[in-house]
Amino acid sequence: ISTTKKHCEITTIHDFTHNLYSSFLKKTVHNKLKYSSIKKSNGIICISNSTYNDLMRYCPPNKNQKVAVIYNGVSDDYFKIDHPTETDLHFLSSNKIVGDYVLFIGSRANYKNFDFVINLLKETPHLMLVVVGEPFNQQELKKIGKYLLERIILVTNASNNQLNILYNFALAFIYPSSYEGFGIPIIESMKSGCPVLALNNSSIPEVSGDASILFDNLSIKNFQNALIDLKNSDFKCDLIERGFAQSKKFSWEKCCQETHAFYSENY
């Protein structure tokens, strides 16, 4: 995102996903535009220290360019539901969501490791999976299979309110992504009181703090053990409380204030 006034340009960088996971042609075209914008900028905002480190690796700024790390925020639409309303319960029942389920949200691109989630479900009988995102394509349906599909609920075009309900009633939010520039769903999940199971890489440990269960690799056994641990109410409550505390460190108000200050500094 670039804003120009006179001869001053500020660029906000979200991630370097294309450098790691796009085809050569797509990466080349994307980076030509991206790097050109970065090199012309008077100031650069990175949304995490992880993204800042990637900036230094792939397109280091020159000594005259100012760089700041300004974190994303999280919507106030996400919160702990202490007393479910009829609307909350109707949303769950109308989507046939009952019993323990884990939640997967967003893109299912290769580096998001949705295949791992499918395999985890295959190896964990009776567990339900709620997926929020686009309809399954034919390749995904083939991998899932007819019988496993009976334990998967797909929710498309979910509103923030509906996402909040899903976070609140989930056993855990599963985020096995191999790379994130920030990872807003982690904060949404923690703010809603939903435990997070994720990979320990890129910006994820930075955003999670000590409030998520992080893994160094995609091990079905480790994820299964974590789900068993979450059956322990003391363990789960402690993790949720740490999540509430961690999520308070991020807000769009703080993001806007810091962004405004950085722009003012450079104009």
Side-chain angles (χ1 to χ4, degrees):
I1 304 170
S2 297
T3 300
T4 304
K5 182 179 179 181
K6 296 182 181 178
H7 300 292
C8 183
E9 183 170 314
I10 309 292
T11 297
T12 296
I13 305 171
H14 292 267
D15 58 56
F16 285 83
T17 305
H18 286 276
N19 293 72
L20 298 168
Y21 298 103
S22 292
S23 65
F24 176 78
L25 179 59
K26 188 175 182 180
K27 178 175 68 174
T28 301
V29 173
H30 176 87
N31 285 349
K32 183 176 181 180
L33 297 172
K34 187 172 190 171
Y35 292 175
S36 174
S37 178
I38 292 171
K39 292 183 182 301
K40 290 188 299 182
S41 297
N42 298 87
I44 302 166
I45 295 173
C46 297
I47 63 169
S48 66
N49 284 305
S50 176
T51 295
Y52 170 79
N53 291 335
D54 287 339
L55 171 68
M56 300 304 291
R57 175 184 176 186
Y58 294 112
C59 188
N62 63 52
K63 62 181 180 180
N64 297 318
Q65 290 177 297
K66 294 181 180 179
V67 184
V69 173
I70 300 177
Y71 289 119
N72 284 328
V74 59
S75 171
D76 288 333
D77 290 344
Y78 300 97
F79 56 90
K80 185 74 175 72
I81 298 174
D82 294 315
H83 304 288
T85 66
E86 288 186 13
T87 302
D88 298 336
L89 298 176
H90 175 71
F91 171 72
L92 293 171
S93 61
S94 63
N95 282 283
K96 300 180 181 179
I97 301 173
V98 295
D100 289 339
Y101 67 89
V102 292
L103 184 63
F104 183 96
I105 293 175
S107 167
R108 300 189 294 271
N110 60 337
Y111 69 95
K112 298 286 188 176
N113 295 312
F114 182 65
D115 285 2
F116 171 79
V117 180
I118 294 174
N119 291 330
L120 174 65
L121 199 64
K122 287 178 180 178
E123 298 296 325
T124 314
H126 312 303
L127 186 67
M128 281 187 60
L129 170 66
V130 175
V131 176
V132 179
E134 296 295 320
F136 295 125
N137 59 41
Q138 289 302 311
Q139 186 177 11
E140 288 174 324
L141 289 172
K142 186 176 180 180
K143 289 179 180 178
I144 293 168
K146 177 182 176 182
Y147 295 105
L148 193 64
L149 194 60
E150 295 175 359
R151 289 164 49 204
I152 299 177
I153 304 294
L154 177 67
V155 179
T156 59
N157 301 315
S159 65
N160 282 4
N161 178 61
Q162 292 169 337
L163 280 177
N164 186 56
I165 296 169
L166 293 173
Y167 280 128
N168 265 267
F169 290 91
L171 177 60
F173 168 55
I174 298 233
Y175 205 57
S177 177
S178 293
Y179 177 85
E180 293 296 326
F182 183 80
I184 287 179
I186 295 172
I187 307 298
E188 294 175 347
S189 185
M190 293 192 294
K191 198 167 185 288
S192 305
C194 179
V196 177
L197 309 185
L199 276 182
N200 186 23
N201 64 62
S202 57
S203 66
I204 293 174
E206 181 182 351
V207 173
S208 296
D210 66 348
S212 298
I213 302 175
L214 303 183
F215 306 93
D216 291 329
N217 53 66
L218 291 174
S219 163
I220 288 177
K221 189 64 178 176
N222 287 345
F223 272 75
Q224 287 175 326
N225 287 338
L227 291 173
I228 292 171
D229 288 340
L230 289 173
K231 297 287 188 178
N232 181 310
S233 59
D234 290 339
F235 175 82
K236 183 175 181 179
C237 286
D238 177 66
L239 192 65
I240 289 173
E241 288 301 320
R242 280 186 273 147
F244 289 148
Q246 179 69 7
S247 66
K248 289 177 181 177
K249 298 177 183 178
F250 305 89
S251 74
W252 287 120
E253 182 179 0
K254 181 182 177 184
C255 176
C256 288
Q257 289 173 348
E258 292 179 356
T259 301
H260 182 269
F262 187 76
Y263 272 55
S264 299
E265 207 177 285
N266 287 277
Y267 278 157

